[in-house]
């Protein structure tokens, strides 16, 4: 019992398929969003209580929701940005959800992933939102600019192929936002491509292929000089990259780990400790990991150039929650160890991880 434990605090059934969940910042409330059987979308608001969680309200809209973020919201307003199955990006006030604060038809197909930066006092620079879609495009949005994206990252059709041949972009994440000028976007695709876009230079900084579809990418922190990036994939694997040192030929140093015996749907770093992260498995389990740095993070490649050195990743805890995939989870930014997770068994769970400060 000396190592951290993961305790199920509350479990509640839902009458719809949940695709994402998020804690409302500076609040004991969280949201769960997804799609009802009749083809509409809904956002449920729950409030944590000493004995479980109470359902506060349900907001129903025309199309099912796929993803959400509070990353571009101010702490005063706490507006949530959502991506839906119709390719629409909307920003909602949860107090007055009748009409979106901002909306745009961002993509021609479903928005698979969304992320925000510059809000909640996390990351320097303007609040921005990035979306990734089945149409293969990654788009950057500023709510002050109506109707058109700030930038669009599209694959080059050098072979003259149709746009419909674009790879499905499954995941996207902000990072490197440590000054008002620096900002990067990591994007993962269904064919295993991992791309790093530099928004300062407005170009592709680095790319590699992980051989399996990339389900989720996340930097350990958005608002610091790039430190680590975790990418989870199909076929039971996740990859950890050391993003501090980029070699001209081999790129970033990385380590690959096998986990869950199934698809790894998501990875979430603990807000209070960037070296601890949780992975969500397709067999219904959560696994808690800790990254240990090597004695030296940089070495000479023999030709006078610096290259990164990887540490190791250790499994701290493994908990089985159910028989269906854990589709999403989110750590509370305010309370260390408090988390919410949704699964395809139409259930939302509140989890408490203990003794994380001992790692």
């Amino acid at each position: 019992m000396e190592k951290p434990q993961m305790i199920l605090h509350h479990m509640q059934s839902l009458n719809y398929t949940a695709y994402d969940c998020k804690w409302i910042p500076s609040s004991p409330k969280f949201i769960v969003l997804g799609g009802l059987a009749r083809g509409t979308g809904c956002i449920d608001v729950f409030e944590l209580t000493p004995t479980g969680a109470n359902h506060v309200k349900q907001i129903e809209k025309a199309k099912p929701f796929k993803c959400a973020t509070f990353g571009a919201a101010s702490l005063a307003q706490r507006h949530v940005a959502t991506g839906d199955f119709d390719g629409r990006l909307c920003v909602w006030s949860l107090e007055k959800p009748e009409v979106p604060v901002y909306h745009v038809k961002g993509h021609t197909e479903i928005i698979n992933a969304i992320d925000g930066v510059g809000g909640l006092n996390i990351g320097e620079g303007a609040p921005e939102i990035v979306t990734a879609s089945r149409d293969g495009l990654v788009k950057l949005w500023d709510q002050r600019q109506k109707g058109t994206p700030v930038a669009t990252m599209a694959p080059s059709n050098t072979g003259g192929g149709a746009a419909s041949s674009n790879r499905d972009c499954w995941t996207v994440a902000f990072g490197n936002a440590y000054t008002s000028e620096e900002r990067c976007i990591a994007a993962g695709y269904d064919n295993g491509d991992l791309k790093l876009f530099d928004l300062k230079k407005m170009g592709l900084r680095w790319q590699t292929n992980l051989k399996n579809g990339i389900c989720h990418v996340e930097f350990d922190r958005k608002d610091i000089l790039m430190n680590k990036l975790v990418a989870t994939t199909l076929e039971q694997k996740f990859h950890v990259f050391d993003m501090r040192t980029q070699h001209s030929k081999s790129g970033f140093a990385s380590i690959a780990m096998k986990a869950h015996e199934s698809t790894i749907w998501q990875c979430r770093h603990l807000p209070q400790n960037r070296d601890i992260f949780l992975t969500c498995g397709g067999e219904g389990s959560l696994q808690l990991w800790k990254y240990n740095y090597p004695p030296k993070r940089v070495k000479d490649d023999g030709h006078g150039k610096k290259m990164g050195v990887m540490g190791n990743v250790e499994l701290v805890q493994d908990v089985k929650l159910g028989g269906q995939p854990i589709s999403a989870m989110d750590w509370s930014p305010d309370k260390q160890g408090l988390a919410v997770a949704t699964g395809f068994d139409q259930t939302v769970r509140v989890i408490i991880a203990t003794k994380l400060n001992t790692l």
Side-chain angles (χ1 to χ4, degrees), residues 10-14 46 53-55 346-350:
H10 178 71
M11 184 169 69
Q12 185 157 333
S13 294
L14 306 168
F46 294 90
N54 291 335
H55 184 253
Q346 297 193 345
T347 305
V348 59
R349 297 171 175 89
V350 178

Side-chain angles (χ1 to χ4, degrees), residues 71-72 116-119 122-129 140-144 150 174 177 179-183 199:
V117 73
I122 298 174
E124 297 292 329
E128 289 180 321
I129 298 167
L140 182 68
W141 307 90
D142 189 322
Q143 296 176 57
R144 299 168 297 181
V150 177
F174 274 116
T179 71
S180 57
E181 294 180 349
E182 294 285 350
R183 198 166 278 184
L199 297 183

Side-chain angles (χ1 to χ4, degrees), residues 34 118 138 157 195 349:
V138 174
N157 273 326
K195 300 187 180 186
R349 297 171 175 89

Side-chain angles (χ1 to χ4, degrees), residues 91-161:
V91 179
W92 307 92
S93 165
L94 294 173
E95 281 76 28
K96 298 179 179 178
E98 294 79 19
V99 179
V101 177
Y102 173 87
H103 66 94
V104 63
K105 173 73 172 173
H107 296 269
T108 57
E109 297 192 58
I110 180 176
I111 295 178
N112 288 320
I114 190 170
D115 197 17
V117 73
L120 309 179
N121 298 326
I122 298 174
E124 297 292 329
E128 289 180 321
I129 298 167
V130 64
T131 54
S133 170
R134 186 183 290 165
D135 61 15
L137 304 181
V138 174
K139 293 188 179 183
L140 182 68
W141 307 90
D142 189 322
Q143 296 176 57
R144 299 168 297 181
Q145 183 171 310
K146 301 289 184 183
T148 56
V150 177
T152 300
M153 280 65 82
S156 56
N157 273 326
T158 52

Side-chain angles (χ1 to χ4, degrees), residues 196 205-206 242-248 251-252 306-308:
L196 185 68
R205 176 170 170 176
W206 170 76
D242 187 316
M243 305 299 287
R244 280 289 162 93
T245 309
Q246 183 175 2
H247 189 265
S248 56
F252 297 101
K306 293 181 179 180
M307 63 188 301

Side-chain angles (χ1 to χ4, degrees), residues 248-265:
S248 56
K249 289 185 178 179
S250 59
F252 297 101
S254 68
I255 184 172
M257 299 288 293
K258 262 197 160 184
H260 290 286
E261 298 181 356
S262 123
T263 294
I264 305 176
W265 282 78

